[in-house]
Amino acid sequence: MYKLKVIRQLESGDNNFSLSFPRRRESRDFKAVDSPVKPGNDNFWLVLLHGKNTLLACLFLSFFLFTGCANKTGTDNIIRLPMQTDIKGFDPAYAEDLYSHTAMAQIYETLLQYAYLERPYKVEPLLADGMPEISKNGLTYTFKIKKGVIFQDDKCFPGSKGRELTADDFVYSFKRIADMNTRSTGWWVFDGRIEGLNEFREKTKDSPKTDYTIDVAGLKAVDKYTLRFKLTKPHPQFLYTLTMMYTAVVANEAVETYGQEFLNHPVGTGPYKLTKWTRNSRIIFDKNPTFRQEFYPVTGETTDKTNGLLVDTGKQIPFIDRIVYIVYLEEQPLWLNFLKGNIDRSGIPKDSYSSAINASKELMPELQEKGIKLWKVPMLDVTYTGFNMEDPVLGKNLKLRQAICLAHDINKVIDLFYNGRAIPAQGPIPPGLDGYDPEFKNPYQSFDLEKAKQLLDQAGYPEGKGLPALAFEASGSGTIDRQWAELFKKEMEAVNIKVNVNYNTWPEFLDKLNKKKGQIYGLAWGADYPDAENFLQLFYGPNAANGQNNTNYKNPEFDRLYEKISTMPPSGERTKIYKQMVKIVTSDCPWIFGAHRMSFALSQQWVKNYKPNDVATNLLKYYRIDTQERAKMLKERF
Amino acid sequence: MFSELSKRLKKDKIARISLAIIILYFAVALFTQAGLLLPDFDKVNYTESYQPPSASHICGTDYLGRDVFSRILHGTRVAISVGIVSSFIAIPIGVLLGCISGFFGGKIDEFVVWLYTTLDSVPGLLLIMALSLVLGRGLYAVYLALGLTTWVSLCRLIRSEFIKHREREYVLAAKALGAGSLRQIFIHILPNVFHIVIINFSLRFVYAIQSEVILSYLGLGAQDMPSWGIMINDAKVELARGVWWQLTGATGAMFLLILAFNIFGDFLRDTLDPKLRGVE
């Protein structure tokens, strides 16, 4: 479950979020995000996003930058990026926060990855040789593994020469996550999913040394290059799991040789290898000389060509020789270094927001002058104000709900609470996912007082007469919660609907949702994985109350379609059903649809092939530094 | 007592000004409560949000385009009401417990001392927050929470005065003449220590206003009505935008009232406490 407060910490936060929106670093205020996280939760993006929310501010900074501090002329082929917190180490079994995840993604690889340029987000093979064969019943996944992939050279191998990757390595790596002796934080990814793996885990419980030869029925290396999973039940989102760092492949020699020290000695198959890691200072990666041949993607979105993202098409990656992550615990030195051209990518610290972005949400001229680019990255989320559909007043009265929707002006909210960094949501599916239709306009997403009054009249409450006061449940009592509720109250007053606001703590709020108390709630939803199904399940009847369907919406037609798509692999037909489902929901108005938020990121002009990405972390291999341009720009403009 | 008071008041200009300010605030509170003054304080005008101070909006406007000045005046109502209502809860408790424990001593005294020592050992604001969480959010909870927690110092003072006075000749004389305990307490001793109540009232009034602002700032106080605490809370997000007028207005209003109360409270103490009065 990944519920979010509608308005997150703009109060101190809205800064450097590139990937995440208004998030603040102190975890207290993340109660919204923190509390619903339970071990064994099957939303695998949760932990990652959870990390993002708490830390993303940093990530943003950390993940997207380049710099040149060591070299004054800027001619070296090095990218310098900020990291706002130190990482925990390089063991994929503990890849629970975004920073560690990001650092590991340069070294370790998974079976699948997100296609770099394609939107909506889509998975493509990484170590797998082609997409898997999936059996008709959706239970058996057969992967072919790329031939000739070798682990980086390391002392743990005989003769210090890296050996070839085989299917057995995956079996070993996955068992290692299940092994209780590993104490991996990623077990929930597999928990109850793979046949026989839970039993394997039970067996590891009491033995100090795990026997990795124990067979697991659902996890088999059929031959050297073939890997077969058997799932306990169909799980179309299984493929997304296989992009997570927890499922990265490790070499058993390295784990055994280094033991406790494994987290300081990563041995992977990826484009980079770890050269130096000084805690709380910097992490340096160098190109892995034995990295296989991999190429820059050929296809992308239509706009990619004009944005110069297809210049390097078909060229061998990675382009950059060395990655330097510099740990900045404070924002100010990071920001100043970025402005001096020492760092190649950054977010916008909150105290610098007004000096970096002007009133029309564009970059200030002095930053434009330096060639700095501003990226507005839509986040995979949606905010909403939900009606309790089991409430006797609201649930049965469609016209009343429509009237309320029309009396609410989302643009005002975006302006007042998001600094304009959001777009009005027409439906539940955010841009960037299959099923998002840019043409679709929700008829009740416009602000129209006259029509609202008419509908209220038709709803049986002319001029609001006879309508009891509605209860709006706010999910906190912070400044923004209060202002938000106050705005809603005032808007409803304009059409003579009386609203009483109840301020709750986050746990109180969740409790009310689960007990179906209250009438109107303000909430948001962030994607667990890049599939619109994750948003549509918010309306699935059986998910009501204790599930994610907080509005207790129920529509047999919708439920039927949802059951149909929940086991369907991605296809044009599925996308069509998604759109149909959006139409059903929007005409029933169980929500006042809010906004899809956006985060702002900055990059230096000489960073090429940069495309913001809300889901993947192994992107540095695609970046290229135009060293000539950097040298020239640094000399002339900085 | 009161003739002495007005005599001194004539001499002390600053105390006079302070009293005038306090009366002005009370008047504002009264008129806003009655709806006679600036009844449009809650009027929303989205097109005018965050207007800086100007002739039409002396203190600018807030995020919904409401006039900050009228909201400050209406905030006075909340602040003054908290001061008055919580005093009417706290003072009777403090006086009553102080009287009986000081007068009777023994087990009753031990119990009262135990009660207020326990209450006093919990940091005041935390106790108030805990109580207002239990009682639910809103102004009534603030009245109650403040009333039920702030009687301790008054009780302690009254108790010690009673211990002194109960052995004095005039009390012994009353007793010898056959006056009962209640008569001794309320007719004989209490009038002689009542100046403490008046002084204490003016001082705790300040504390009550501060607490209301803090609680409202924390979201536990006034809901859905203008309060200085809420305005300062708003300013938390607005300052980054350069919106300073709401913070300045609310704190300015609070500052003036508290300063006036403190000066006037000092003046009362100097006047009413014979030990501090001196000779002129």
Side-chain angles (χ1 to χ4, degrees):
Chain A
M1 167 168 37
Y2 179 43
K3 278 173 207 160
L4 296 177
K5 291 174 58 166
V6 186
I7 2 111
R8 281 166 297 173
Q9 294 50 52
L10 278 165
E11 43 214 288
S12 98
D14 66 332
N15 33 356
N16 33 10
F17 316 104
S18 74
L19 299 191
S20 66
F21 197 53
R23 284 149 193 188
R24 115 154 134 204
R25 238 149 291 123
E26 296 93 82
S27 52
R28 258 209 92 73
D29 258 83
F30 278 76
K31 53 193 184 244
V33 181
D34 289 1
S35 51
V37 177
K38 290 184 206 103
N41 192 305
D42 61 352
N43 295 329
F44 62 88
W45 270 101
L46 183 65
V47 167
L48 191 58
L49 283 171
H50 164 58
K52 265 186 192 173
N53 283 291
T54 326
L55 308 171
L56 229 208
C58 321
L59 166 76
F60 180 43
L61 293 170
S62 51
F63 192 59
F64 291 78
L65 321 192
F66 295 42
T67 162
C69 45
N71 123 312
K72 288 256 168 350
T73 58
T75 50
D76 52 0
N77 190 9
I78 299 180
I79 184 166
R80 292 180 182 85
L81 305 170
M83 183 77 98
Q84 266 200 335
T85 176
D86 202 17
I87 61 164
K88 287 193 286 187
F90 289 87
D91 185 341
Y94 309 109
E96 62 191 330
D97 65 295
L98 193 54
Y99 309 97
S100 304
H101 201 280
T102 305
M104 279 181 231
Q106 316 313 326
I107 297 176
Y108 288 108
E109 290 181 300
T110 46
L111 277 169
L112 302 173
Q113 67 177 353
Y114 289 101
Y116 183 50
L117 298 175
E118 310 256 350
R119 300 289 182 279
Y121 293 108
K122 156 186 149 186
V123 288
E124 65 176 16
L126 180 59
L127 287 174
D129 192 10
M131 292 303 280
E133 254 175 56
I134 306 171
S135 66
K136 279 237 163 62
N137 60 11
L139 289 178
T140 312
Y141 286 65
T142 310
F143 281 92
K144 286 282 176 202
I145 291 163
K146 276 184 188 149
K147 290 176 187 165
V149 175
I150 50 176
F151 282 104
Q152 66 184 63
D153 293 344
D154 190 274
K155 324 198 263 301
C156 67
F157 297 114
S160 295
K161 278 303 231 187
R163 64 165 173 81
E164 191 180 14
L165 170 81
T166 68
D168 284 317
D169 290 313
F170 284 99
V171 175
Y172 172 78
S173 303
F174 292 175
K175 279 182 183 168
R176 187 171 167 263
I177 300 293
D179 181 356
M180 279 200 180
N181 293 317
T182 312
R183 296 200 184 85
S184 169
T185 52
W187 164 243
W188 55 270
V189 173
F190 294 115
D191 192 11
R193 297 263 179 232
I194 293 177
E195 216 173 274
L197 200 59
N198 280 57
E199 289 76 5
F200 172 82
R201 182 174 170 83
E202 275 309 302
K203 281 184 207 157
T204 65
K205 202 166 165 182
D206 303 313
S207 60
K209 180 103 178 70
T210 308
D211 179 6
Y212 279 98
T213 57
I214 299 173
D215 243 14
V216 172
L219 192 55
K220 277 264 162 61
V222 179
D223 61 41
K224 209 174 161 192
Y225 302 110
T226 311
L227 182 65
R228 182 166 295 153
F229 295 100
K230 271 207 194 96
L231 305 190
T232 50
K233 49 183 185 270
H235 182 41
Q237 283 73 37
F238 181 60
L239 293 182
Y240 298 115
T241 320
L242 297 176
T243 65
M244 295 183 75
M245 237 344 97
Y246 287 126
T247 68
V249 66
V250 298
N252 61 337
E253 292 93 333
V255 176
E256 276 154 30
T257 308
Y258 295 116
Q260 295 273 343
E261 284 291 298
F262 180 57
L263 84 166
N264 294 321
H265 290 273
V267 179
T269 58
Y272 291 93
K273 62 193 178 76
L274 182 65
T275 305
K276 193 165 179 233
W277 173 29
T278 316
R279 279 183 185 263
N280 277 318
S281 170
R282 58 191 60 203
I283 312 164
I284 299 172
F285 299 96
D286 278 317
K287 219 184 217 175
N288 173 11
T290 60
F291 184 59
R292 64 180 180 278
Q293 291 207 315
E294 237 197 81
F295 303 99
Y296 193 85
V298 179
T299 53
E301 274 183 300
T302 42
T303 51
D304 287 343
K305 193 152 195 135
T306 46
N307 288 344
L309 284 165
L310 288 172
V311 174
D312 291 320
T313 283
K315 287 191 190 149
Q316 192 174 341
I317 56 172
F319 299 108
I320 294 168
D321 294 337
R322 175 174 272 205
I323 302 167
V324 180
Y325 273 108
I326 304 163
V327 178
Y328 286 105
L329 298 174
E330 296 289 333
E331 284 172 356
Q332 211 52 26
L334 189 165
W335 178 247
L336 294 174
N337 272 307
F338 178 73
L339 292 183
K340 278 170 68 187
N342 289 340
I343 290 200
D344 298 308
R345 194 180 51 206
S346 174
I348 306 171
K350 71 163 195 295
D351 299 328
S352 311
Y353 182 78
S354 55
S355 63
I357 306 292
N358 65 19
S360 53
K361 311 295 171 210
E362 292 304 329
L363 214 51
M364 285 292 189
E366 31 315 359
L367 297 186
Q368 280 180 18
E369 178 76 4
K370 294 184 175 192
I372 291 171
K373 290 188 208 162
L374 170 67
W375 301 89
K376 300 177 184 173
V377 195
M379 288 165 63
L380 292 179
D381 75 351
V382 61
T383 68
Y384 64 92
T385 308
F387 301 112
N388 181 357
M389 298 293 283
E390 290 190 6
D391 180 79
V393 179
L394 287 164
K396 306 251 152 39
N397 202 330
L398 175 65
K399 291 265 197 294
L400 174 61
R401 294 197 302 272
Q402 288 172 341
I404 294 175
C405 288
L406 288 169
H408 177 64
D409 184 0
I410 186 64
N411 289 315
K412 218 150 41 201
V413 170
I414 292 174
D415 187 41
L416 282 172
F417 299 111
Y418 295 142
N419 278 348
R421 289 189 271 179
I423 56 167
Q426 305 296 333
I429 303 178
L433 295 183
D434 274 335
Y436 173 75
D437 184 352
E439 306 293 309
F440 177 66
K441 287 273 168 283
N442 181 344
Y444 304 104
Q445 178 59 304
S446 53
F447 177 59
D448 189 340
L449 276 184
E450 280 319 301
K451 209 166 155 211
K453 282 179 186 157
Q454 276 171 23
L455 280 166
L456 192 63
D457 193 16
Q458 292 165 20
Y461 304 106
E463 306 272 297
K465 278 187 203 100
L467 181 65
L470 301 174
F472 178 85
E473 305 293 334
S475 60
S477 53
T479 311
I480 306 276
D481 292 296
R482 187 172 42 71
Q483 292 188 343
W484 189 294
E486 225 171 316
L487 174 67
F488 183 71
K489 193 177 154 144
K490 294 286 167 208
E491 283 181 328
M492 292 307 119
E493 262 170 28
V495 286
N496 297 317
I497 296 175
K498 195 166 159 26
V499 173
N500 289 332
V501 182
N502 298 324
Y503 296 95
N504 304 286
T505 61
W506 180 249
E508 279 168 6
F509 181 74
L510 290 183
D511 190 57
K512 282 193 178 165
L513 286 182
N514 291 342
K515 292 192 174 141
K516 305 182 181 181
K517 281 194 227 157
Q519 295 180 298
I520 304 173
Y521 321 91
L523 255 182
W525 182 261
D528 297 315
Y529 39 83
D531 188 332
E533 178 266 341
N534 192 233
F535 288 87
L536 294 170
Q537 54 101 12
L538 301 173
F539 302 100
Y540 179 51
N543 280 352
N546 274 318
Q548 260 68 276
N549 182 353
N550 295 308
T551 49
N552 308 307
Y553 173 74
K554 206 170 173 66
N555 180 323
E557 171 68 2
F558 184 92
D559 289 354
R560 192 183 60 76
L561 290 173
Y562 179 80
E563 277 151 27
K564 195 166 162 198
I565 56 117
S566 69
T567 53
M568 267 171 97
S571 64
E573 193 197 343
R574 193 181 68 160
T575 309
K576 225 159 88 194
I577 302 180
Y578 281 175
K579 288 182 182 167
Q580 198 183 335
M581 291 167 82
V582 170
K583 289 217 169 88
I584 296 175
V585 168
T586 48
S587 60
D588 278 344
C589 281
W591 290 4
I592 306 171
F593 289 89
H596 305 302
R597 290 169 285 190
M598 255 190 305
S599 56
F600 282 18
L602 302 177
S603 72
Q604 304 283 13
Q605 184 183 331
W606 54 78
V607 180
K608 305 296 177 188
N609 301 339
Y610 172 58
K611 180 162 180 176
N613 190 312
D614 205 17
V615 296
T617 50
N618 61 339
L619 311 170
L620 296 182
K621 59 183 177 181
Y622 300 111
Y623 294 2
R624 182 167 55 79
I625 299 272
D626 189 331
T627 50
Q628 308 272 305
E629 189 178 337
R630 175 158 71 185
K632 190 162 163 272
M633 291 288 288
L634 281 179
K635 209 164 143 198
E636 290 169 7
R637 308 268 177 95
F638 283 86
Chain B
M1 191 163 83
F2 288 100
S3 62
E4 174 69 24
L5 204 64
S6 57
K7 204 172 90 195
R8 293 215 162 215
L9 202 54
K10 269 184 204 142
K11 283 190 207 148
D12 191 335
K13 197 174 164 198
I14 297 180
R16 257 192 344 259
I17 296 171
S18 299
L19 182 62
I21 292 173
I22 293 169
I23 292 172
L24 183 69
Y25 270 89
F26 271 79
V28 166
L30 213 63
F31 282 120
T32 47
Q33 177 67 35
L36 298 173
L37 189 63
L38 298 168
D40 279 346
F41 72 97
D42 224 9
K43 207 173 130 215
V44 172
N45 187 349
Y46 300 114
T47 51
E48 285 193 5
S49 67
Y50 292 131
Q51 295 286 309
S54 63
S56 52
H57 300 289
I58 311 173
C59 287
T61 62
D62 70 355
Y63 69 107
L64 291 176
R66 298 175 297 193
D67 181 46
V68 170
F69 182 69
S70 31
R71 296 183 72 75
I72 290 172
L73 294 194
H74 280 257
T76 308
R77 179 178 53 148
V78 172
I80 300 273
S81 76
V82 168
I84 293 178
V85 177
S86 71
S87 295
F88 276 116
I89 300 172
I91 289 179
I93 299 177
V95 170
L96 202 65
L97 289 180
C99 291
I100 58 169
S101 84
F103 185 79
F104 294 110
K107 286 264 180 263
I108 297 178
D109 187 35
E110 269 173 43
F111 173 74
V112 172
V113 172
W114 169 80
L115 187 67
Y116 73 59
T117 316
T118 311
L119 210 57
D120 205 30
S121 64
V122 183
L125 204 58
L126 283 187
L127 196 63
I128 294 170
M129 281 166 68
L131 261 177
S132 52
L133 276 178
V134 172
L135 298 169
R137 295 164 203 283
L139 217 44
Y140 293 108
V142 175
Y143 294 152
L144 266 181
L146 274 170
L148 294 177
T149 56
T150 56
W151 52 268
V152 172
S153 60
L154 180 62
C155 175
R156 197 182 267 153
L157 286 169
I158 297 275
R159 173 180 166 271
S160 59
E161 287 297 307
F162 262 71
I163 292 174
K164 265 193 316 205
H165 280 258
R166 71 179 179 200
E167 308 295 340
R168 292 260 174 97
E169 285 81 358
Y170 75 94
V171 181
L172 295 177
K175 205 172 172 184
L177 285 171
S181 301
L182 286 181
R183 194 176 169 83
Q184 288 174 47
I185 294 175
F186 292 107
I187 307 292
H188 294 285
I189 308 181
L190 195 57
N192 279 303
V193 299
F194 207 73
H195 64 279
I196 292 178
V197 177
I198 296 175
I199 297 164
N200 192 269
F201 173 80
S202 73
L203 292 178
R204 67 171 307 294
F205 205 96
V206 172
Y207 179 73
I209 291 171
Q210 287 170 333
S211 302
E212 186 274 324
V213 169
I214 293 172
L215 288 173
S216 298
Y217 176 84
L218 294 173
L220 296 169
Q223 316 272 324
D224 285 338
M225 55 174 88
S227 147
W228 297 336
I230 290 179
M231 297 174 83
I232 294 170
N233 186 280
D234 277 342
K236 205 165 69 176
V237 262
E238 295 166 354
L239 276 180
R241 289 181 182 242
V243 179
W244 50 268
W245 41 92
Q246 194 153 211
L247 177 72
T248 317
T251 43
M254 194 171 119
F255 170 76
L256 197 60
L257 178 59
I258 289 179
L259 183 70
F261 253 113
N262 271 326
I263 292 174
F264 191 66
D266 275 357
F267 164 80
L268 277 181
R269 195 189 52 200
D270 294 350
T271 311
L272 298 179
D273 193 332
K275 279 190 263 27
L276 293 169
R277 203 181 290 159
V279 181
E280 300 197 12

